[in-house]
Amino acid sequence: MVSLRFLLCFLFVSSAYATIVSHDGRAITIDGHRRVLLSGSIHYPRSTPEMWPDLIKKGKEGGLDAIETYVFWNAHEPTRRQYDFSGKLDLIRFLKTIQDEGLYGVLRIGPYACAEWNYGGFPVWLHNMPGMVFRTTNKSFMDEMQNFTTMIVDMVKKEKLFASQGGPIILAQIENEYGNVMGPYGDSGKAYIKWCANMAQSLDVGVPWIMCQQNDAPQPMLNTCNGFYCDNFVPNNPNTPKMWTENWTGWFKQWGGKNPHRTTEDVAFSVARFFQRGGTFNNYYMYHGGTNFDRTAGGPYITTSYDYDAPLDEYGNLNQPKYGHLKQLHDVLHSMERTLTYGNISTIDFGNSASATIYKTEEGSSCFFGNGNENSDAKISFQGESYVIPAWSVTILPDCKNEAYNTAKITTQTSMMVKKPNEAEDTPSTLKWSWRPENVDNFILKGKGESTQTQLFDQKVVTNDQSDYLWYMTTVKFKKRDLFLGKSMSLRVNSTAHVLHAFVNGKHIGNQHAEDGKFNYVFEKDVKFKSGRNVIALLSITVGLANYGIFFESKPAGITGPIFITGRNGDETIVKDLSAHKWSYKTGLNGFENQLFRTESMSKWSVESVPFNRTMTWYKATFKAPLGNDPVVVDLMGLGKGAYHAEKCLTNCGEPTQRWYHVPRSFLNAEGDNTLVLFEEMGGNPSLVSFQTTRVGSVCANVYENKIIELSCDRKPISAIKFASFGNPHGNCGSFEKGTCESSNNTVDILTQECVGKEKCSIDVSTKKFGAPDCSGAARKLAVEVIC
Ligand SMILES: *[C@@H]1O[C@H](CO)[C@@H](O)[C@H](O)[C@H]1NC(C)=O
Ligand SMILES: *[C@@H]1O[C@H](CO)[C@@H](O)[C@H](O)[C@H]1NC(C)=O
Ligand SMILES: *[C@@H]1O[C@H](CO)[C@@H](O)[C@H](O)[C@H]1NC(C)=O
Ligand SMILES: *[C@@H]1O[C@H](CO)[C@@H](O)[C@H](O)[C@H]1NC(C)=O
Ligand SMILES: *[C@@H]1O[C@H](CO)[C@@H](O)[C@H](O)[C@H]1NC(C)=O
Ligand SMILES: *[C@@H]1O[C@H](CO)[C@@H](O)[C@H](O)[C@H]1NC(C)=O
Ligand SMILES: CC(=O)N[C@H]1CO[C@H](CO)[C@@H](O)[C@@H]1O
């Protein structure tokens, strides 16, 4: 008896703890069962540990099975062999939060991440090691990559977080999108991929490894697809299931660029199409994009906001209807898991890009009707019934009879987010500012730095990426009788500085940055030099290091020259080549060095005549945290850096490219004072800066009859019905208008009774409730807008 009980106990323990993850040509299998897996990317350092449980819970409620993340090497190992896993870098805590929510994890170790992350996740010290070449068979690189990868795997194993140990992680990734760039690496690239595969395999994690965008991924690595559409993707081995590791839910935003948007219908179409064509694993890139805190944005010129138009917005709010429409899709796909992963597949081609795919098992069949034509609806007949499939859509019929879902028909509410002013008590509506200049005299007047070289260096080499700022300074002497003195002379700088400010003899002569996706540009300004000693000071600023491309690690940043002084006396002449002059270097700004942003900083600030439109200026204000729990943003309207350029401007001209910055609640003292410190490089007006909260302002729906629609103000009561019409209303959320036919019932009254005062209400859109207006036989719909 005793031994039997012991045995049972042992069996229980082993089965409860270890999960066997494998795969065949159809799907990932978990404990022997083929699975339909829906996964979403949430990068832990792009939110805070306080936000993680809510984000992951919303992922689960949105129908996800798994959360995927990269691991960010340069964040964890900022200095060689000195590690940081604290706060939002606490990878283990993030993985345990996934586990606590009962979801699976997908761990993309890389350690190359790309991800619009500074330098693609590579540490800059790695670049500065002698003879270093990234992502090829360079021994120094391979040693460092193996060292970091092994350390991450060991940490995760120690906490028993791989599924093989009873943990949540079902898949791991080595390298990342290497197939997109590997051509120029030649045979070394091929050898490197083999080495990556062997190295990963030797780490013995007990779950499959994936290699995305890698057509020659050696077995047993699984090659997978990334892109906006992956329905035509074919894995490189019949035993590899069709997996989509990056389905882009939107796109990232760049300084000077417009707000990226990918429609809900198109995201849903691409996913449904992927499953129609035999896909079984899909990951949304991103499910929550979040924020590039600190100096983590990649580049150059990627914004701090990494919202990505994802199903959860930057602050963690539901981005509706995207979130809800995809949740319904996930529920339908999960309900068909068995037929999708075990059914025999057959297709019917109806022509004009319309097709049906039937998944058939002994127990029953499931169908997809796809219409890949962007302009015309398809009318098809299937097993004696006729169906209309709207243009560019997929209809899903779990029983091959009844339409359960169509990607183009949204029955989820649209939420309009609003920003509200800070309502904290005794907070004046405007902030009270003090200021001080950045102390630049040593540089612009004296040209004095920390080290001197007779060469122009790449910024990465000098700063080790410890700062975005690097001064390059030199002195030039002219004699009274110098030919060009007093005539038209100019300073010409070939620059790869992301932003350049130039000073001559203490005077700011101009600034410039690269345009139109180019890396380099020529800065040229007329300058009056004096006889005797002249000081040239160039401040080079990085705005995120390159994160993608062939040999991207060696793309220059900073002022790599050449630098000339030219003169005009008839034809242009080069008066002096300064490239091999004595250059004095200084990393960083005084304000950062003196930690002006620390509350305990002793530096003097002035409250007198706070300047506007002044370059290189620090501003400081204290404020109270906004009341309540809504996410907090600071509105940097009025500040100068990153504003749209007039010549390229289409919308929001003169406004900053990114106006609002997320300030997570955990950064704030809920009671007492908080301090905001700003550094304005270009010149701006801080009097327009304010703190706000963001929340749902109004909610809309626009659905055909015989559907049920739920309206919710996200845990706040619905306060009024702004618009409602049942018939053929038109327009969009915020601008609905009545059509030519409308129910005579008072639709607004009906909805007021059902919804106002409630946090959510469910409306049965039927003629029984709203009456049956005569819309000449066309389907009737309800358009409604409620105020939260
Ligand atoms: C690669 O790594 C080795 C270190 O083993 C180094 O000495 C070598 O010069 C590196 N660079 C290239 C281009 O091979
Ligand atoms: C990484 O390298 C250091 C030496 O720099 C060594 O002590 C450590 O054991 C290595 N870690 C792994 C996991 O190989
Ligand atoms: C699926 O295909 C196999 C092989 O052609 C066949 O033996 C089996 O009966 C089919 N199953 C169904 C449900 O049609
Ligand atoms: C300087 O930049 C200009 C314009 O980009 C380019 O034509 C020129 O070749 C550059 N000079 C050098 C030496 O790189
Ligand atoms: C700011 O200063 C620049 C030149 O220093 C000037 O061209 C610009 O008009 C000023 N802007 C405002 C808003 O005063
Ligand atoms: C709406 O109108 C229909 C018929 O026109 C009527 O039967 C129904 O009771 C009305 N409903 C309400 C709530 O007024
Ligand atoms: C493979 C793929 O779908 N690439 C797309 C990535 O996104 C860019 C920008 O939107 C598209 O132009 C590419 O076609």
Side-chain angles (χ1 to χ4, degrees):
M1 271 313 276
V2 172
S3 66
L4 180 62
R5 192 187 285 163
F6 178 79
L7 185 68
L8 282 175
C9 177
F10 174 77
L11 280 176
F12 172 75
V13 167
S14 67
S15 66
Y17 281 91
T19 303
I20 299 165
V21 184
S22 185
H23 65 91
D24 55 25
R26 269 309 265 281
I28 295 292
T29 59
I30 294 181
D31 287 334
H33 301 288
R34 289 179 183 158
R35 298 294 303 273
V36 159
L37 293 171
L38 293 152
S39 167
S41 292
I42 300 178
H43 295 155
Y44 52 99
R46 285 175 158 149
S47 51
T48 62
E50 293 76 11
M51 292 168 70
W52 294 342
D54 181 58
L55 296 174
I56 292 166
K57 191 163 193 282
K58 284 171 172 163
K60 185 180 184 178
E61 286 166 3
L64 296 187
D65 303 286
I67 302 294
E68 181 262 26
T69 185
Y70 281 122
V71 175
F72 299 90
W73 187 0
N74 56 1
H76 292 304
E77 196 175 351
T79 304
R80 192 162 178 267
R81 303 299 180 261
Q82 289 177 27
Y83 298 98
D84 186 358
F85 287 93
S86 65
K88 50 189 185 305
L89 294 177
D90 193 341
L91 171 64
I92 297 299
R93 178 168 166 187
F94 182 72
L95 295 171
K96 287 184 173 170
T97 312
I98 294 172
Q99 183 171 36
D100 290 346
E101 205 47 64
L103 292 181
Y104 295 125
V106 177
L107 190 64
R108 298 170 83 182
I109 299 176
Y112 169 57
C114 190
E116 290 74 60
W117 184 267
N118 189 35
Y119 215 34
F122 283 126
V124 170
W125 57 257
L126 185 69
H127 165 268
N128 292 342
M129 287 174 72
M132 177 61 62
V133 194
F134 288 4
R135 304 178 82 193
T136 185
T137 50
N138 179 266
K139 178 140 183 357
S140 306
F141 177 76
M142 294 191 295
D143 286 349
E144 292 299 319
M145 172 169 167
Q146 177 159 13
N147 191 286
F148 181 75
T149 307
T150 306
M151 193 197 60
I152 294 295
V153 166
D154 288 348
M155 275 176 72
V156 172
K157 271 191 187 170
K158 190 164 157 268
E159 300 291 334
K160 301 206 178 333
L161 290 168
F162 285 108
S164 49
Q165 305 172 290
I169 300 169
I170 54 168
L171 296 166
Q173 178 178 298
I174 195 73
E175 249 298 339
N176 184 40
E177 297 194 334
Y178 190 67
N180 293 357
V181 297
M182 83 184 268
Y185 294 86
D187 288 340
S188 303
K190 291 181 191 151
Y192 167 64
I193 276 302
K194 289 215 180 77
W195 173 82
C196 287
N198 287 331
M199 191 267 283
Q201 209 53 32
S202 75
L203 296 175
D204 196 21
V205 297
V207 301
W209 285 93
I210 54 178
M211 275 190 169
C212 60
Q213 300 286 81
Q214 195 66 47
N215 290 332
D216 63 347
Q219 292 297 306
M221 302 284 119
L222 304 178
N223 81 312
T224 64
C225 176
N226 293 350
F228 282 112
Y229 307 98
C230 279
D231 49 323
N232 289 324
F233 169 71
V234 183
N236 65 355
N237 186 289
N239 197 31
T240 297
K242 184 165 169 172
M243 295 167 72
W244 190 359
T245 39
E246 282 195 17
N247 167 12
W248 302 322
T249 52
W251 203 243
F252 56 89
K253 180 169 171 171
Q254 286 181 294
W255 291 107
K258 56 185 191 325
N259 253 338
H261 178 60
R262 185 178 186 192
T263 68
T264 297
E265 292 91 333
D266 191 48
V267 181
F269 172 77
S270 65
V271 176
R273 191 79 165 163
F274 180 68
F275 281 89
Q276 171 173 10
R277 301 261 179 99
T280 49
F281 174 100
N282 169 66
N283 179 65
Y284 294 97
Y285 190 96
M286 303 290 299
Y287 198 77
H288 171 255
T291 311
N292 292 314
F293 293 110
D294 310 318
R295 300 171 51 247
T296 60
Y301 308 123
I302 290 167
T303 58
T304 301
S305 170
Y306 196 64
D307 181 85
Y308 225 89
D309 199 15
L312 299 176
D313 74 10
E314 176 173 5
Y315 319 108
N317 300 311
L318 307 188
N319 176 11
Q320 295 282 37
K322 201 170 265 185
Y323 175 89
H325 192 51
L326 294 174
K327 172 184 162 62
Q328 289 173 6
L329 172 60
H330 303 157
D331 292 347
V332 173
L333 291 171
H334 280 137
S335 77
M336 296 155 51
E337 183 169 58
R338 203 176 150 77
T339 42
L340 288 185
T341 54
Y342 289 91
N344 290 355
I345 307 176
S346 57
T347 56
I348 304 169
D349 188 349
F350 297 103
N352 199 17
S353 303
S355 64
T357 306
I358 302 105
Y359 286 81
K360 189 167 180 226
T361 63
E362 305 292 348
E363 299 94 63
S365 302
S366 295
C367 289
F368 292 84
F369 299 157
N371 181 3
N373 189 302
E374 287 183 58
N375 305 310
S376 58
D377 296 350
K379 292 190 178 66
I380 65 163
S381 134
F382 179 80
Q383 292 177 352
E385 303 274 345
S386 55
Y387 299 88
V388 176
I389 316 154
W392 200 249
S393 81
V394 175
T395 298
I396 305 178
L397 310 89
D399 58 359
C400 284
K401 264 205 168 68
N402 299 297
E403 172 176 328
Y405 185 83
N406 177 275
T407 58
K409 297 181 191 165
I410 295 181
T411 56
T412 300
Q413 71 177 36
T414 295
S415 300
M416 309 282 272
M417 306 306 291
V418 290
K419 308 239 171 23
K420 298 219 159 159
N422 185 358
E423 283 161 355
E425 284 156 62
D426 60 276
T427 293
S429 55
T430 53
L431 295 164
K432 189 158 169 40
W433 293 98
S434 54
W435 74 285
R436 51 170 294 145
E438 165 68 12
N439 186 356
V440 294
D441 289 355
N442 262 343
F443 317 124
I444 65 173
L445 293 175
K446 299 182 190 147
K448 231 170 71 189
E450 289 165 331
S451 63
T452 307
Q453 302 282 344
T454 51
Q455 197 185 334
L456 288 165
F457 279 114
D458 186 289
Q459 182 154 347
K460 294 191 286 297
V461 173
V462 186
T463 64
N464 238 327
D465 202 32
Q466 298 301 302
S467 168
D468 281 329
Y469 296 88
L470 178 64
W471 288 96
Y472 294 73
M473 296 160 285
T474 195
T475 55
V476 188
K477 281 191 179 131
F478 285 101
K479 299 204 179 87
K480 268 214 174 79
R481 58 186 156 78
D482 266 328
L483 181 64
F484 289 98
L485 208 56
K487 297 216 178 74
S488 131
M489 292 171 102
S490 64
L491 177 67
R492 182 192 297 172
V493 183
N494 267 36
S495 172
T496 50
H498 300 163
V499 179
L500 165 69
H501 288 274
F503 300 80
V504 174
N505 297 329
K507 201 169 168 274
H508 188 248
I509 62 165
N511 65 67
Q512 200 166 330
H513 59 83
E515 305 232 15
D516 303 327
K518 290 204 198 83
F519 253 82
N520 60 316
Y521 55 93
V522 177
F523 171 86
E524 185 157 21
K525 269 271 151 56
D526 289 348
V527 179
K528 284 219 165 49
F529 289 98
K530 58 185 185 190
S531 80
R533 189 170 172 272
N534 293 273
V535 177
I536 297 173
L538 306 173
L539 178 60
S540 168
I541 303 163
T542 49
V543 188
L545 297 174
N547 56 274
Y548 180 74
I550 296 154
F551 301 114
F552 75 86
E553 75 273 18
S554 55
K555 274 186 192 162
I559 298 167
T560 41
I563 301 181
F564 299 122
I565 293 174
T566 63
R568 214 158 299 128
N569 190 4
D571 285 342
E572 177 191 279
T573 326
I574 289 171
V575 177
K576 274 184 198 298
D577 181 347
L578 303 178
S579 313
H581 246 224
K582 234 194 208 174
W583 286 93
S584 180
Y585 290 92
K586 159 76 187 168
T587 297
L589 292 178
N590 274 317
F592 284 108
E593 219 155 81
N594 298 330
Q595 305 205 305
L596 287 184
F597 40 85
R598 295 230 170 263
T599 29
E600 61 275 18
S601 153
M602 301 299 284
S603 306
K604 285 203 200 82
W605 293 80
S606 170
V607 292
E608 302 302 321
S609 43
V610 176
F612 297 156
N613 204 19
R614 186 185 186 285
T615 60
M616 306 284 163
T617 306
W618 294 85
Y619 295 100
K620 181 161 96 169
T622 54
F623 65 98
K624 293 261 197 302
L627 301 175
N629 297 318
D630 291 331
V632 179
V633 294
V634 57
D635 181 354
L636 295 190
M637 189 66 182
L639 294 195
K641 191 177 181 184
Y644 271 121
H645 290 283
E647 69 271 22
K648 278 205 303 191
C649 183
L650 297 172
T651 54
N652 306 337
C653 304
E655 281 192 11
T657 302
Q658 183 181 340
R659 217 180 125 167
W660 292 283
Y661 288 74
H662 185 202
V663 184
R665 286 272 174 188
S666 59
F667 288 13
L668 297 174
N669 297 316
E671 315 280 328
D673 283 341
N674 295 283
T675 309
L676 171 69
V677 174
L678 299 171
F679 177 61
E680 172 58 71
E681 258 168 55
M682 299 290 177
N685 179 359
S687 72
L688 301 173
V689 171
S690 68
F691 281 88
Q692 296 161 7
T693 56
T694 162
R695 52 171 292 184
V696 182
S698 60
V699 156
C700 295
N702 191 3
V703 284
Y704 285 99
E705 61 188 295
N706 302 323
K707 295 271 183 212
I708 291 175
I709 169 87
E710 188 169 274
L711 298 177
S712 154
C713 277
D714 202 11
R715 284 167 273 171
K716 301 218 164 53
I718 294 169
S719 67
I721 309 293
K722 189 177 159 199
F723 177 94
S725 174
F726 183 68
N728 63 357
H730 49 90
N732 296 313
C733 187
S735 62
F736 284 131
E737 285 177 43
K738 291 181 196 308
T740 50
C741 69
E742 189 183 28
S743 156
S744 55
N745 294 39
N746 196 334
T747 314
V748 172
D749 286 349
I750 300 171
L751 290 171
T752 302
Q753 225 162 46
E754 288 196 17
C755 298
V756 172
K758 297 184 184 148
E759 287 184 8
K760 58 173 132 178
C761 59
S762 188
I763 306 158
D764 180 6
V765 182
S766 64
T767 48
K768 211 169 115 215
K769 175 173 290 171
F770 294 107
D774 176 11
C775 297
S776 326
R780 288 164 283 240
K781 57 180 181 172
L782 173 72
V784 53
E785 178 175 355
V786 310
I787 309 287
C788 293

